[in-house]
Amino acid sequence: MARFDIARFGAEIFRASPRQADLMIVSGTVTKKMAPILVTLYEQMPSPKWVIAMGNCAISGGPFVFKGQYNLVEGVDLLVPVDVYVPGCPPRPEGLLEGLMKLEEKITGTRRFPGPESKW
Amino acid sequence: MILAAKTIEEFRSEFKSVDISEVPYDKQGYHLAIEAQTGNLLNIVEFLDRREFYIVDLFCVDYQDYLELVYFFNTHRELCRVKVTLKLDPEKPVAPTISHIYTIARWYEREAHEFFGIYFEGHPGLTYLFLHSGIDHYPLRRKHVPVPDNDRQLLDSFKPQEEEDCFFVNLGPQHPSTHGVLRVVLKMDGEYIVSAEPVLGYLHRMHEKMAESKSYLQFLPNPARMDYPGALLFNLAHVETVEKLCGIAVPERAKYIRTITCELNRIASHLLWLGAFPADLGGLTPFMYAFDDRENILDILEGVTGSRLTYCYFRFGGLYNDIDEESFVSATKRFIERMRERLVMYDKLITGNVIFINRIKNVGIMEQAKVRKYGSSGPFIRSTGIPFDMRKVDPYEAYGSIDFEIPTGHTGDNMDRYLVRMKEMEISLNIIEEAMKKLPSGPFQTEKVPKKLKPPKGDIYHAIESTRGETGVYIVSDESDTPYRMRWRVPSYSNLMTFPYLAQGLLIADAIATLGSYDIVVPEIDR
Amino acid sequence: MCDTIINIVNIVGKEVVRTVVGLIGVFIVVIGNAIMLTWAERKVAGHMQRRIGPKEVGPFGLIQSFADSVKLLGKELLTPANVERPLYFLAPTLIFVPVLVTFVVIPFDGFLQVKDINVGILVILAFSSLTVLSILIAGWGSNNKYSLIGAVRSVAQNIAYEIPLLLSLLPIIFMANSFSLRDVVEAQKGLWFVFYQPVAFLIFFVASVAETNRTPFDLPEAESELVAGFHTEYSGMRFSLFFLAEYTNMFIVSAIAVTFFLGGYQGPILPGVVWFFMKTYVLVFVLLWFRWTFPRVRFDQLLNFSWKILIPVSFLNLLVTGGILKL
């Protein structure tokens, strides 16, 4: 059986066109060559629209930030507004699911499942 | 070795004045080194071409006093690596192009041009391949060398010109079936493709530049991020090269465990491809089935490596930790049993489907003779009938003591590529099983590996067989704890560059099927 | 209250009221059906792929499709800058015309039929050709290369498959001696036509899969090749009209197949309308099943299959049927 199954929440329909998308998940490093395309894609989406920065690379450039780097956008939030950050390199599937839950919480104001318990 | 001796003899009789030397293979990973001059480079390359050498890699190293172009050649018949070097003046680097002899050089030379500023005389079009037009210097040069202004306009990414009776389609970088951010510019005549041109660099993450500022140990996590579906194999390529460079011995047990985990990773990677390939053809269901099995492997590997996808498990001189009897060995045994049944099921589900067969049979045929010109490797060339596999040709780790066959195809079409990969999964299962039987006990890590590796001066090339083909690492060491230059020879790159050739005259649907059959990984191509 | 209604009916005329009420009913059926079918598709897909499909929103995920529709209603109606504006706006509206008209003549029951026209099947076939027109307009007006390729594919495909579709229905019309759909159903009182005309049924079903642009013939919107095909540039409600039309078309072709070959609303014990829907949804399920089982055919294979196999075979079938009926 599928283990993580995002389809449970009705998020499995695959739409290849940004015109029919609600959520952009930036799941990798954003390079300077990709940046204008990413912005175009975001602008092609009809509002209301959301962005998840998935992984350290998309959040801040992650491990690829070093002195003398010439091709990296250090965080997708420099280009488009980001709603939820999912850390990890790469994030686990549970992390992405939690990110989606978080986004849902942000939109609706209520949380579907009890969140992970905080022990600290 | 016989071939190397023969080549030396023939070379000396043909080129009296050129310096050719034999190199200790165990130390440096290649057999012959030739120092060419601008005048005789083409003759030397033609000499190698006549002897059916294939081009492994072409790149540049900046030694400050001079730039060195490095050409690597090898044959499919026998391991005989030849390194041809060409020294260039850093102020005005100009070299003759070899792209009319070896087609892949067209792209390698463009790469050398944009990263080092080398001009190739006679090259059909030196435009940017990886970089964006905003860059103002040659990034991999040691000193800051600005790009000339008129060059920058010339270098700007491929800008298609509209022509009569045809139009351009940009396949990617955000197209659903380019498996990442690959962009292919298609010139179309209706539904037929007139020509195709890949544009890379949308995920260029500067791994090679980064290596120059990080120590060997610090660079460990990087290779896994180049090839995320087959992370362990890239990890292995890096670790083995450094071990070879520093002369670190690896215990037997570690060798076997490396073999087992690498083969598991190979199956996982092939399963990912098995899911994506039918999806490119419009059949979405096999994806979920393949991922189901892949999840099992990820579980097993996660248990031992500690991460789910981008493993960093191998260390210089051994492993990060030992496998244990209960969770790893028995789980792997269970998986092998299950996977054997599943392979039969995949055969019934996918291989037998009439639409599937009609779509991929006799489509995207790669001729065996052409493969050499592109330096392709892996399942891609095995499908054309060349039984070339680094595991067999140059056995590393425990592959030398394990008996396995190399599946080959006949025609080199998409169907053959599919069948070869399916067979490879089965063979990987056999390898794992045999390696588990022979698994010796003992330590899994050599003691006394220094924290700060300072390898002796020199260079080394070492290649392994990753899931997509020959993955090689070339390291130049200057006795410091960071590599002076690290070059990655990645299989997807040279495989992908056959696409412009294969796509010519195909329908767009077939071209996408062909692109899917390559099993390309974009971060690996872009590096 | 009752009296006023009867009075109004008498004044306006029975037929008009029947048509108006019928059209409202059709609207409800169209939208309800499309929403249920999207849910069904996702559930079927889920179970075929060892998943369970939507389950969190409502019992068995039943509310999921409603939620999605509401979301689509709330989306911004984005008009790209370089589109051919009149055509771009017209296409999603136009695609709905054949969908509504076709429903008018389908007999759901002995009584439940908006209007029984004596050339019913001709109305259906004539109007269903409008679908391809609106796809062409959408593709052309979007000013997008993927859309255009999708639209051109769609035209070639629909022309190729309309012919076998028509030719496979003709033998039935011979046998029933009528163009009226109710007469065709009534003629199947004894034995369903599928038993007399198995070849025609197969041809009709294959052709109708192609007409509805479903896998393995979903070339106009082939995701892996053309991003989203002819509706690449459409968003929000405009896109959902295409979506709605696609699912309604699935229902319509299945309903016609049931009417012509599987005895329509006829069946024992249960009321006719139940039988009709049951049979139709079984065929719809087969369509869903196709989608999640087969890969896509190539364009030349698709056309070859129609012109070289389906059309000759259906001609032959027509000839044989005509000959036998004459004897």
Side-chain angles (χ1 to χ4, degrees):
Chain A
M1 286 296 277
R3 189 173 309 174
F4 300 105
D5 199 12
I6 205 171
R8 286 177 293 156
F9 311 103
E12 89 277 31
I13 293 194
F14 175 73
R15 293 271 155 238
S17 169
R19 301 259 184 232
Q20 291 140 25
D22 304 316
L23 168 68
M24 174 160 77
I25 300 178
V26 183
S27 62
T29 320
V30 184
T31 58
K32 282 185 183 154
K33 196 170 182 177
M34 193 65 195
I37 296 157
L38 191 130
V39 174
T40 312
L41 276 174
Y42 179 73
E43 279 164 359
Q44 278 175 338
M45 286 163 61
S47 43
K49 53 191 168 186
W50 296 276
V51 177
I52 289 183
M54 177 185 170
N56 293 353
C57 284
I59 293 173
S60 66
F64 300 103
V65 181
F66 63 98
K67 203 167 162 274
Q69 65 91 356
Y70 52 87
N71 202 28
L72 200 70
V73 177
E74 293 179 19
V76 68
D77 45 9
L78 298 173
L79 301 170
V80 293
V82 175
D83 293 277
V84 175
Y85 297 86
V86 181
C89 189
R92 293 187 55 88
E94 297 93 330
L96 182 62
L97 279 177
E98 172 63 23
L100 289 172
M101 296 288 109
K102 208 80 195 161
L103 184 66
E104 192 185 25
E105 194 183 340
K106 188 177 175 180
I107 296 168
T108 61
T110 52
R111 202 186 152 84
R112 192 196 293 272
F113 300 120
E117 271 173 52
S118 169
K119 282 181 183 162
W120 293 282
Chain B
M1 282 316 276
I2 309 155
L3 191 66
K6 210 177 126 202
T7 313
I8 275 202
E9 216 170 273
E10 284 174 354
F11 189 87
R12 283 199 175 128
S13 66
E14 199 165 331
F15 301 94
K16 295 265 168 4
S17 59
V18 184
D19 199 22
I20 182 166
S21 54
E22 218 165 332
V23 175
Y25 177 76
D26 302 338
K27 286 238 170 70
Q28 291 186 276
Y30 52 90
H31 299 91
L32 303 173
I34 301 172
E35 277 191 33
Q37 307 291 327
T38 322
N40 58 19
L41 175 80
L42 284 180
N43 295 341
I44 292 168
V45 173
E46 270 162 12
F47 166 86
L48 293 169
D49 182 39
R50 279 199 301 278
R51 269 148 198 82
E52 298 202 321
F53 277 78
Y54 76 91
I55 182 162
V56 178
D57 206 350
L58 193 174
F59 55 91
C60 184
V61 186
D62 181 6
Y63 286 106
Q64 306 235 31
D65 309 338
Y66 58 90
L67 292 174
E68 190 179 68
L69 267 181
V70 184
Y71 302 76
F72 265 107
F73 297 92
N74 191 6
T75 69
H76 285 136
R77 284 161 291 151
E78 192 193 321
L79 195 70
C80 174
R81 282 206 193 98
V82 181
K83 182 180 126 180
V84 181
T85 52
L86 177 67
K87 281 180 185 159
L88 297 170
D89 174 23
E91 296 301 319
K92 237 185 127 196
V94 182
T97 179
I98 61 160
S99 58
H100 53 285
I101 306 170
Y102 286 102
T103 324
I104 183 85
R106 233 176 87 195
W107 291 279
Y108 279 139
E109 283 172 359
R110 275 168 75 182
E111 199 185 327
H113 172 65
E114 62 189 312
F115 284 109
F116 289 93
I118 299 171
Y119 291 88
F120 290 90
E121 270 178 347
H123 190 279
L126 283 175
T127 50
Y128 270 161
L129 181 63
F130 281 94
L131 298 174
H132 59 103
S133 51
I135 231 130
D136 60 348
H137 63 288
Y138 295 113
L140 284 182
R141 287 285 278 267
R142 286 267 153 171
K143 270 184 264 169
H144 184 90
V145 182
V147 183
D149 275 346
N150 54 343
D151 232 31
R152 275 173 69 182
Q153 282 163 5
L154 185 103
L155 285 173
D156 205 350
S157 270
F158 185 72
K159 271 188 193 142
Q161 309 285 313
E162 292 289 338
E163 284 170 43
E164 222 170 297
D165 287 340
C166 57
F167 60 102
F168 285 89
V169 168
N170 261 318
L171 200 73
Q174 74 279 28
H175 191 277
S177 55
T178 50
H179 304 277
V181 286
L182 172 70
R183 173 176 166 210
V184 185
V185 182
L186 301 174
K187 186 177 170 189
M188 312 262 301
D189 178 12
E191 288 241 358
Y192 286 92
I193 291 167
V194 180
S195 67
E197 181 65 36
V199 181
L200 310 175
Y202 290 97
L203 203 57
H204 174 58
R205 298 194 282 196
M206 310 157 284
H207 284 286
E208 284 173 11
K209 174 90 178 167
M210 207 167 157
E212 290 170 13
S213 60
K214 291 205 167 184
S215 73
Y216 293 98
L217 192 65
Q218 281 173 330
F219 193 69
L220 258 185
N222 275 49
R225 270 132 191 106
M226 274 187 233
D227 181 1
Y228 55 89
L232 273 177
L233 293 124
F234 267 57
N235 193 191
L236 184 72
H238 175 238
V239 166
E240 272 198 352
T241 315
V242 175
E243 277 165 0
K244 221 171 159 181
L245 185 65
C246 304
I248 302 168
V250 182
E252 275 300 298
R253 184 173 171 84
K255 283 187 177 174
Y256 273 87
I257 295 174
R258 282 180 179 185
T259 309
I260 294 167
T261 45
C262 276
E263 288 307 314
L264 277 174
N265 205 180
R266 190 187 304 277
I267 298 173
S269 172
H270 279 355
L271 278 172
L272 181 79
W273 166 83
L274 177 65
F277 183 46
D280 284 344
L281 299 167
L284 296 167
T285 300
F287 199 80
M288 288 293 163
Y289 282 75
F291 264 53
D292 211 3
D293 293 333
R294 184 169 166 267
E295 206 65 49
N296 279 306
I297 303 180
L298 296 189
D299 272 354
I300 296 171
L301 288 180
E302 191 180 349
V304 64
T305 65
S307 55
R308 205 182 120 83
L309 195 65
T310 45
Y311 313 110
C312 178
Y313 176 50
F314 306 139
R315 295 288 187 275
F316 306 126
L319 309 164
Y320 158 65
N321 68 4
D322 203 359
I323 58 171
D324 75 83
E325 196 57 42
E326 284 156 48
S327 65
F328 187 86
V329 177
S330 60
T332 311
K333 276 180 184 149
R334 270 202 309 277
F335 169 74
I336 292 172
E337 249 170 63
R338 174 194 150 99
M339 193 61 206
R340 290 225 164 98
E341 284 168 27
R342 298 281 283 192
L343 281 174
V344 175
M345 185 197 76
Y346 288 131
D347 234 29
K348 282 184 192 155
L349 261 183
I350 308 171
T351 321
N353 190 316
V354 185
I355 298 177
F356 186 72
I357 293 172
N358 282 335
R359 277 299 301 279
I360 62 172
K361 204 151 180 118
N362 291 325
V363 172
I365 298 172
M366 189 69 198
E367 293 92 359
Q368 197 177 338
K370 273 263 175 198
V371 159
R372 210 161 54 76
K373 302 280 181 185
Y374 290 94
S376 314
S377 53
F380 182 74
I381 67 162
R382 290 200 278 279
S383 72
T384 65
I386 304 171
F388 185 78
D389 191 322
M390 292 312 288
R391 290 177 290 177
K392 206 78 173 178
V393 181
D394 182 20
Y396 51 93
E397 302 305 338
Y399 289 110
S401 50
I402 290 169
D403 185 40
F404 63 96
E405 55 169 316
I406 301 169
T408 52
H410 306 283
T411 49
D413 58 357
N414 287 349
M415 186 75 188
D416 270 353
R417 292 197 266 279
Y418 167 81
L419 290 175
V420 163
R421 285 209 180 84
M422 292 303 277
K423 189 83 188 150
E424 253 177 37
M425 281 200 260
E426 210 179 307
I427 285 161
S428 288
L429 288 177
N430 295 345
I431 295 176
I432 297 167
E433 209 167 42
E434 204 179 323
M436 297 243 279
K437 262 185 217 144
K438 290 183 178 168
L439 183 68
S441 54
F444 63 89
Q445 170 80 30
T446 320
E447 280 164 36
K448 288 183 208 152
V449 177
K451 279 264 156 56
K452 222 173 193 178
L453 288 172
K454 280 192 178 167
K457 209 171 169 119
D459 64 344
I460 184 169
Y461 178 85
H462 179 70
I464 63 150
E465 184 76 18
S466 84
T467 45
R468 274 155 278 278
E470 181 181 346
T471 302
V473 188
Y474 178 79
I475 296 177
V476 179
S477 158
D478 61 347
E479 283 187 303
S480 71
D481 59 341
T482 62
Y484 185 76
R485 169 95 165 96
M486 188 189 273
R487 162 75 184 181
W488 282 81
R489 184 255 187 247
V490 284
S492 287
Y493 186 91
S494 46
N495 289 355
L496 172 73
M497 290 316 171
T498 59
F499 184 68
Y501 169 67
L502 290 189
Q504 254 171 28
L506 284 187
L507 283 163
I508 188 169
D510 280 344
I512 279 167
T514 309
L515 197 62
S517 75
Y518 282 122
D519 186 20
I520 48 164
V521 175
V522 179
E524 174 196 317
I525 297 171
D526 283 354
R527 279 160 287 152
Chain C
M1 184 65 189
C2 257
D3 293 341
T4 34
I5 291 173
I6 289 164
N7 276 336
I8 293 168
V9 169
N10 282 335
I11 294 161
V12 188
K14 250 187 184 157
E15 276 306 305
V16 177
V17 172
R18 191 191 170 100
T19 312
V20 170
V21 172
L23 275 176
I24 293 166
V26 163
F27 247 115
I28 294 164
V29 170
V30 165
I31 290 164
N33 167 65
I35 287 173
M36 285 320 289
L37 273 189
T38 33
W39 174 81
E41 170 130 271
R42 292 160 82 167
K43 274 292 188 195
V44 168
H47 284 281
M48 284 193 179
Q49 299 177 342
R50 300 168 61 85
R51 299 187 277 117
I52 35 178
K55 73 175 264 286
E56 291 295 340
V57 187
F60 306 104
L62 271 166
I63 312 294
Q64 184 68 56
S65 305
F66 286 98
D68 283 352
S69 325
V70 172
K71 182 213 80 186
L72 274 171
L73 275 170
K75 287 297 266 190
E76 179 190 4
L77 278 177
L78 214 106
T79 312
N82 294 325
V83 295
E84 200 82 36
R85 290 180 85 91
L87 295 182
Y88 180 80
F89 293 140
L90 183 64
T93 330
L94 197 62
I95 203 163
F96 232 70
V97 175
V99 166
L100 285 181
V101 174
T102 319
F103 259 100
V104 170
V105 291
I106 291 175
F108 292 93
D109 195 340
F111 171 73
L112 266 177
Q113 185 182 16
V114 180
K115 194 142 177 62
D116 185 32
I117 306 172
N118 56 7
V119 287
I121 186 60
L122 293 184
V123 169
I124 291 178
L125 290 173
F127 272 92
S128 68
S129 307
L130 269 180
T131 312
V132 62
L133 180 69
S134 62
I135 288 178
L136 180 63
I137 289 176
W140 184 263
S142 291
N143 195 11
N144 179 309
K145 284 163 190 168
Y146 290 122
S147 301
L148 187 62
I149 296 176
V152 171
R153 278 182 178 188
S154 174
V155 174
Q157 174 178 341
N158 277 45
I159 290 173
Y161 279 87
E162 206 122 290
I163 300 167
L165 192 83
L166 183 74
L167 287 177
S168 62
L169 288 180
L170 276 180
I172 306 297
I173 295 166
F174 285 180
M175 289 170 79
N177 262 328
S178 168
F179 281 115
S180 154
L181 273 80
R182 191 178 301 180
D183 290 352
V184 171
V185 176
E186 291 300 326
Q188 302 180 63
K189 268 242 157 67
L191 200 55
W192 296 351
F193 280 151
V194 65
F195 297 110
Y196 296 113
Q197 291 287 350
V199 181
F201 176 66
L202 276 180
I203 292 172
F204 177 84
F205 200 62
V206 171
S208 57
V209 176
E211 283 285 295
T212 47
N213 299 336
R214 297 281 299 179
T215 319
F217 306 119
D218 62 338
L219 289 113
E221 44 194 299
E223 285 153 353
S224 58
E225 297 157 28
L226 302 180
V227 185
F230 62 89
H231 56 64
T232 306
E233 292 287 351
Y234 283 91
S235 58
M237 218 37 220
R238 293 197 193 115
F239 158 70
S240 68
L241 283 178
F242 283 113
F243 203 65
L244 217 62
E246 183 191 325
Y247 281 93
T248 315
N249 277 334
M250 274 167 69
F251 181 84
I252 288 171
V253 291
S254 304
I256 297 171
V258 166
T259 311
F260 273 78
F261 295 97
L262 299 177
Y265 48 76
Q266 298 191 6
I269 307 164
L270 294 168
V273 64
V274 176
W275 275 110
F276 182 83
F277 275 101
M278 261 168 50
K279 288 173 187 170
T280 308
Y281 279 117
V282 167
L283 285 186
V284 169
F285 171 73
V286 176
L287 286 177
L288 299 180
W289 186 6
F290 280 173
R291 169 147 184 204
W292 299 105
T293 314
F294 290 127
R296 190 180 306 122
V297 297
R298 204 168 57 213
F299 195 53
D300 54 331
Q301 293 168 344
L302 171 97
L303 293 184
N304 278 345
F305 185 59
S306 174
W307 292 107
K308 291 186 183 163
I309 298 172
L310 286 187
I311 293 178
V313 170
S314 53
F315 262 119
L316 202 71
N317 185 44
L318 185 65
L319 207 70
V320 171
T321 313
I324 290 171
L325 283 181
K326 189 74 190 163
L327 293 172

